[in-house]
Amino acid sequence: MTSVTARDYAWIRSSPLFDCALEIGYTVSLVRGVAPREVLRMMEAEPQGSCTGADELIERQDELRDPEDYSDESFMAGAFTVPGEGGDWTLVLHVGEGGMGMQSRFLEALTDGGCAAVHSSNGGKPMHFFHWYEDGELRTTFEWPTVRHGSTPDALNSAMREVGYVLSDDEDGTSGTSERVDTKAAAFALSERLTGVRVTEELLQGAEYQLGYVPEEPPREIAGGQG
């Protein structure tokens, strides 16, 4: 496990890419041991060829959306392989209006015998989430680091504190520094602690992405019908 902390991801606050991502929403997913094309297939994505760099991925996302349809949750996902802890991982990136990335049912299937780390923001409001899946099970998830859920909600507590998260009201919120911790940078750092994958601007802008269009989830039927 690496010794990375939130400080190592301070670059996101001067990044044009993540300035955009935090404004309009993003999801970064890392899945171990499943190839990019297979990840997209299991996400029920429609193949859309490939592109180079996150900027082109965002352009492709913008092309498919109706700017007047604010409720559309379809999105373009880009996936590529990156080395990490225990072998190869697939990084899946989505930046833009639309869904919040992978549905839980996809992650449960993708991590059967494996694991995944996912962090996201819906932009605007904002809401920020972190999910850790292992062996098909949601082990730890949180929006606020002090309120954790999952089958083992406290399993990551040590790593969370080490990267900079504050986990209780008794802690001062500074992690031993004179500045409050950037919780979004801490999410990147926690993901790296779990996966061994260092995410950089250069990595995301230089990658060759396999693309898949993930359609909007159909509305769920109410048991017994309406009325």
Side-chain angles (χ1 to χ4, degrees):
M1 184 177 288
T2 71
S3 58
V4 63
T5 71
R7 290 180 177 180
D8 295 292
Y9 282 92
W11 65 266
I12 66 173
R13 296 303 177 180
S14 59
S15 160
L17 170 59
F18 273 92
D19 183 59
C20 170
L22 291 168
E23 179 180 352
I24 64 177
Y26 84 92
T27 304
V28 172
S29 305
L30 283 159
V31 181
R32 191 179 69 195
V34 185
R37 289 184 187 276
E38 181 64 9
V39 170
L40 292 173
R41 186 193 68 79
M42 294 180 72
M43 290 174 65
E44 302 176 2
E46 301 169 7
Q48 299 291 316
S50 63
C51 75
T52 301
D55 289 341
E56 188 174 346
L57 171 62
I58 295 170
E59 290 176 7
R60 296 288 294 272
Q61 163 78 12
D62 290 342
E63 289 170 2
L64 69 85
R65 287 187 54 80
D66 178 353
E68 302 298 323
D69 187 356
Y70 298 105
S71 64
D72 182 9
E73 293 189 350
S74 63
F75 63 93
M76 185 75 78
F80 64 94
T81 301
V82 60
E85 185 72 26
D88 284 342
W89 294 69
T90 288
L91 188 153
V92 185
L93 176 65
H94 157 56
V95 178
E97 305 291 344
M100 287 281 287
M102 287 196 227
Q103 299 292 324
S104 59
R105 60 189 178 90
F106 301 148
L107 287 160
E108 289 166 2
L110 284 164
T111 59
D112 185 12
C115 51
V118 182
H119 56 94
S120 60
S121 171
N122 67 339
K125 298 181 181 179
M127 297 168 65
H128 304 288
F129 297 97
F130 191 97
H131 309 294
W132 171 246
Y133 281 80
E134 196 166 37
D135 294 327
E137 184 176 59
L138 179 57
R139 297 286 304 277
T140 306
T141 182
F142 57 89
E143 179 181 1
W144 302 104
T146 54
V147 183
R148 301 172 299 280
H149 303 284
S151 63
T152 56
D154 297 330
L156 304 183
N157 285 11
S158 177
M160 290 177 69
R161 285 193 175 93
E162 288 171 5
V163 302
Y165 280 115
V166 174
L167 301 188
S168 76
D169 294 336
D170 295 332
E171 298 175 65
D172 63 9
T174 62
S175 267
T177 71
S178 60
E179 298 180 0
R180 185 169 294 276
V181 168
D182 183 339
T183 56
K184 181 52 63 180
F188 277 88
L190 181 59
S191 178
E192 182 178 338
R193 289 265 181 148
L194 295 169
T195 67
V197 175
R198 172 65 60 95
V199 176
T200 65
E201 180 104 359
E202 293 75 19
L203 175 70
L204 298 176
Q205 293 290 18
E208 182 75 13
Y209 293 85
Q210 298 297 318
L211 300 178
Y213 168 66
V214 182
E216 186 174 17
E217 290 274 300
R220 296 181 180 180
E221 294 185 3
I222 300 174
Q226 296 182 344

